Amino acid sequence: MNESASEAAAVIAGSKQVASNRPEDWVWVDRSIWTDRMLAALGNGVQGGKWFSLIDKVYRPATLRSAWQQVLVNRGAAGVDRVSVERFAGHLDRYLSELGQELQTGRYRPLPVRRVEIEKADGKLRPLGIPTVRDRVAQAAVKRVIEPIFEQLFAPTSFGFRPGRGCKDALRVVDGLLKAGYTHVVDADLKGYFDSIPHDRLKQRLAAHISDGRLVALLDGWIEQDVVQELKRWKPTSGTPQGAVISPLLANLYLHDLDVKLAGLGLSMVRYADDFVILCQSASEATHALEVVRAWVAAEGLQLHPDKTHVGDCRIAGQGFEFLGYRFEAGRRWVRNKSLNALKAKIRSKTRRTEGNSLREIVRGLNPMLRGWFNYFKHAQCWIFRILDGFIRRRLRALLRKQAQRPGAGHCMADHRRWPNAFFAAVGLFTMTEARHAASQSR
């Protein structure tokens, strides 16, 4: 490992540590499935690097019930069979017993995925796959069994949809690398990644680690699952449905080879699912990194988005990059416009002037959203919190004017005197400026 790679590794290891890499220490593992002996074998390596005889752990009643609890917490809409989470819960013992028998006897077949399109913040549509509740339970059960196998494999610089890891951990590593001088950044965007993963190559990656034929057949069935949208039905030849329980694990597995390749070249990539940046110490290193990524992506049947992939020195205005809701530019960390606009849209929806609830009820509905947003973005430039606080109070003043049958936008000085900032504090409105001040004092 060269000096640059060693320094980057130290930054990653020195950040507030996420999940331990020792299987014996993993608190998230289902110990009714993974015994101490199995975890020890996972840490030491199994013969041939492949795992056998796993399907019996999937259809065990305890595994299926734990999987059901996971599906219940996540809720979600009904699939093509129109069986909702509530209906499934009403006949839980029967549904789980039938599912267990089908998985045990090999009679289980997944139903098609119901595809819907949801609007993104930029107005474009994102396809979302909705498996049936029954299939979601089966996928959750399989994931509980196989996830430790791949967690032992995955790189420490991969953070998306992994136990004990998250956005804040990825951002902490990015911040550490920037402070260490890794300011030449490759900002890469995979075009339609979840819809373009080649099925044959994904299956090969799975088969390299799992040799239980029946479990592999289950995974293959979900990879090849039919899709239904309105009156259309088809069998995709690539991709894994966004919305399926097993999809994030499969997506991480497919990109794992890229993690390994870049790490082997001493390049510092931070990845959250299909969103990743590569932080380098020079422009030439960043250019080389992008060439490596382009070659790998083309060879693996994927595409980089031509308009959203670039290299820049983020110390220079106009050459920054966006990652996980933030924009890093000119030595500062901003809330990106897309994230800001999304918050404002949510605030508007909760503070319509036609809202019939009392101010206290409206504030009670706003506060959890505002606290959550602030806790994530509290490291951004502090002036944004003052602007947002003012925006929220203006929305509330306009609402109060409407309730008092006085039309207007709540901008005039008379409104400020009638409903000063202290008035909203008295009804319990969460204030980002005060939260930021309190956070800075506690450091």
Side-chain angles (χ1 to χ4, degrees):
M1 183 181 288
N2 59 36
E3 183 178 346
S4 174
S6 298
E7 184 180 16
V11 168
I12 295 168
S15 65
K16 182 181 177 183
Q17 194 53 284
V18 292
S20 167
N21 198 42
R22 281 170 35 92
E24 297 90 339
D25 298 335
W26 291 345
V27 298
W28 53 269
V29 170
D30 189 335
R31 293 301 180 117
S32 69
I33 299 171
W34 282 85
T35 63
D36 290 341
R37 183 178 179 182
M38 290 176 66
L39 290 172
L42 186 62
N44 297 328
V46 294
Q47 186 176 2
K50 294 186 178 184
W51 287 80
F52 298 81
S53 303
L54 297 171
I55 189 65
D56 62 301
K57 297 169 179 58
V58 173
Y59 58 70
R60 290 173 54 225
T63 305
L64 292 177
R65 194 160 290 272
S66 296
W68 156 250
Q69 289 297 326
Q70 180 182 336
V71 172
L72 178 62
V73 169
N74 293 331
R75 310 296 293 181
V80 294
D81 61 357
R82 300 184 181 180
V83 175
S84 65
V85 172
E86 292 77 14
R87 181 178 169 185
F88 198 97
H91 305 276
L92 182 61
D93 291 339
R94 177 167 65 86
Y95 280 133
L96 291 184
S97 176
E98 291 174 353
L99 177 59
Q101 290 174 13
E102 290 177 2
L103 290 168
Q104 183 174 4
T105 59
R107 291 184 293 108
Y108 169 84
R109 297 292 183 273
L111 292 173
V113 172
R114 181 166 72 90
R115 180 168 176 162
V116 298
E117 293 181 331
I118 56 175
E119 187 173 351
K120 299 194 291 186
D122 58 7
K124 296 180 180 178
L125 297 176
R126 172 186 288 128
L128 180 68
I130 305 176
T132 63
V133 176
R134 162 183 167 272
D135 290 338
R136 298 206 293 267
V137 173
Q139 289 186 16
V142 168
K143 186 170 180 282
R144 296 179 79 84
V145 172
I146 69 172
E147 189 167 36
I149 297 171
F150 296 107
E151 274 301 308
Q152 178 67 5
L153 174 74
F154 289 159
T157 51
S158 166
F159 294 90
F161 306 106
R162 295 182 58 191
R165 295 170 176 263
C167 295
K168 292 182 180 179
D169 301 306
L171 289 167
R172 196 175 293 116
V173 172
V174 168
D175 190 59
L177 287 169
L178 290 174
K179 289 176 179 176
Y182 291 72
T183 58
H184 296 268
V185 180
V186 179
D187 185 3
D189 185 274
L190 291 170
K191 187 175 182 180
Y193 173 62
F194 280 87
D195 287 332
S196 57
I197 301 173
H199 285 175
D200 55 346
R201 296 178 187 181
L202 177 58
K203 291 178 184 179
Q204 290 171 6
R205 283 162 165 76
L206 284 167
H209 302 281
I210 299 174
S211 286
D212 185 317
R214 291 172 61 189
L215 184 52
V216 169
L218 272 181
L219 290 162
D220 288 352
W222 290 324
I223 292 171
E224 298 175 343
Q225 214 165 349
D226 282 5
V227 176
V228 171
Q229 185 173 17
E230 296 178 347
L231 299 178
K232 299 178 182 178
R233 176 169 176 163
W234 70 94
K235 184 181 291 294
T237 57
S238 64
T240 176
Q242 292 190 60
V245 176
I246 203 71
S247 288
L249 178 60
L250 299 180
N252 273 331
L253 174 61
Y254 199 77
L255 288 179
H256 172 68
D257 285 358
L258 178 61
D259 299 340
V260 173
K261 185 175 185 65
L262 293 179
L265 295 173
L267 295 168
S268 302
M269 178 170 74
V270 181
R271 182 171 67 81
Y272 191 95
D274 61 329
D275 191 5
F276 63 90
V277 289
I278 307 169
L279 297 99
C280 306
Q281 293 181 303
S282 67
S284 60
E285 185 183 28
T287 300
H288 171 63
L290 180 55
E291 291 173 354
V292 171
V293 171
R294 286 191 193 280
W296 187 91
V297 164
E300 296 297 333
L302 304 173
Q303 284 184 296
L304 287 176
H305 198 297
D307 301 325
K308 297 181 180 180
T309 301
H310 71 276
V311 174
D313 182 349
C314 69
R315 296 171 297 182
I316 300 173
Q319 293 191 33
F321 66 96
E322 295 183 351
F323 188 59
L324 299 179
Y326 279 95
R327 181 166 183 82
F328 296 82
E329 186 172 327
R332 297 181 180 180
R333 190 163 159 178
W334 319 82
V335 179
R336 69 171 182 169
N337 289 335
K338 187 176 179 181
S339 302
L340 199 57
N341 292 336
L343 175 66
K344 288 183 175 181
K346 291 178 181 177
I347 292 170
R348 290 188 183 98
S349 70
K350 291 178 177 292
T351 58
R352 294 189 178 95
R353 293 184 216 183
T354 54
E355 181 65 55
N357 292 328
S358 69
L359 180 63
R360 287 187 182 276
E361 289 174 326
I362 293 168
V363 167
R364 197 176 297 119
L366 278 172
N367 279 349
M369 177 184 72
L370 298 178
R371 283 195 186 94
W373 193 91
F374 171 78
N375 285 335
Y376 185 79
F377 287 105
K378 61 185 176 183
H379 297 292
Q381 291 294 297
C382 60
W383 56 263
I384 193 63
F385 305 121
R386 184 176 65 256
I387 291 175
L388 285 171
D389 286 339
F391 171 75
I392 295 164
R393 286 191 289 261
R394 284 196 304 274
R395 294 286 303 177
L396 293 175
R397 289 187 183 106
L399 184 150
L400 290 170
R401 282 182 65 102
K402 178 69 174 179
Q403 290 181 349
Q405 297 184 342
R406 296 173 55 224
H411 290 188
C412 68
M413 187 57 66
D415 290 335
H416 282 259
R417 286 194 294 268
R418 183 175 183 181
W419 300 297
N421 294 357
F423 170 82
F424 295 106
V427 296
L429 179 66
F430 177 81
T431 306
M432 295 190 192
T433 305
E434 292 183 3
R436 174 60 183 261
H437 177 73
S440 64
Q441 294 298 310
S442 64
R443 291 174 185 171

